[in-house]
Amino acid sequence: AQSVAQPEDQVNVAEGNPLTVKCTYSVSGNPYLFWYVQYPNRGLQFLLKYITGDNLVKGSYGFEAEFNKSQTSFHLKKPSALVSDSALYFCAVRDNRAGGFKTIFGAGTRLFVKA
Amino acid sequence: DAGVIQSPRHEVTEMGQEVTLRCKPISGHDYLFWYRQTMMRGLELLIYFNNNVPIDDSGMPEDRFSAKMPNASFSTLKIQPSEPRDSAVYFCASTITGGGAQTQYFGPGTRLLVL
């Protein structure tokens, strides 16, 4: 069965410092991996995805994520955090076998960026 | 495009009443998803449709929940009778197959409170 884990409920970082939000996954086939962000009282918004190819994926708002197959990880990173990055971040995985579209979301990690 | 539209945005009802949540996906999208978000359980996939046909309803909690998609531009999620434990934010999302674009586009959500 596919699953995704976000080991940190909350990440605190000072503005201007690099940030990392961790994600590990478990899936039988080759994974499709996603990061979404949720601002208060809003729906989830897509940040970036890994389907195939280069292990380093660049996405919206200066975020990037690195796919590591051996560690089954897909950590979200940003070189310099902004206060406006404070939000709830979700990692998600989809098993791309058999064309299924069921996507499993992690529990979410709340990011606080302090000015 | 207006994005995924959900109505109502907020719903307060009493236990035992019927609740109907509505969703209009992005025009041209052929997949529609219903999710439920709570603090305790995170983001759960309830059901998803492809070309108006339910594909996976394994996440529907019980028979009190039902979902329909009578046409490509409209879906409903009905709870009858509602219970306090159904209180949550319900999200609708849509996506389109082909081109590797499996990104899901989320609506703003319906915040349901069952008293």
Side-chain angles (χ1 to χ4, degrees), chain B residues 70-110:
Chain B
N71 57 61
S73 60
F74 183 66
S75 177
T76 59
L77 177 68
K78 187 176 293 186
I79 309 173
Q80 167 62 19
S82 59
E83 296 181 3
R85 59 191 169 120
D86 301 331
S87 298
V89 181
Y90 290 82
F91 289 104
C92 176
S94 69
T95 193
I96 186 169
T97 50
Q102 294 88 10
T103 301
Q104 293 186 28
Y105 296 85
F106 282 76
T110 295

Side-chain angles (χ1 to χ4, degrees), chain B residues 9-22:
Chain B
R9 292 294 309 275
H10 303 272
E11 177 82 24
V12 180
T13 190
E14 293 185 345
M15 183 174 62
Q17 296 298 306
E18 178 179 294
V19 174
T20 300
L21 311 181
R22 297 172 176 79

Side-chain angles (χ1 to χ4, degrees), chain A residues 36 38 46 49 94 101 103, chain B residues 37 48 100 102-104:
Chain A
Y36 287 82
Q38 185 180 28
F46 168 77
K49 65 183 177 184
R94 198 188 111 199
F101 265 68
T103 301
Chain B
Q37 185 178 36
Y48 77 92
Q102 294 88 10
T103 301
Q104 293 186 28

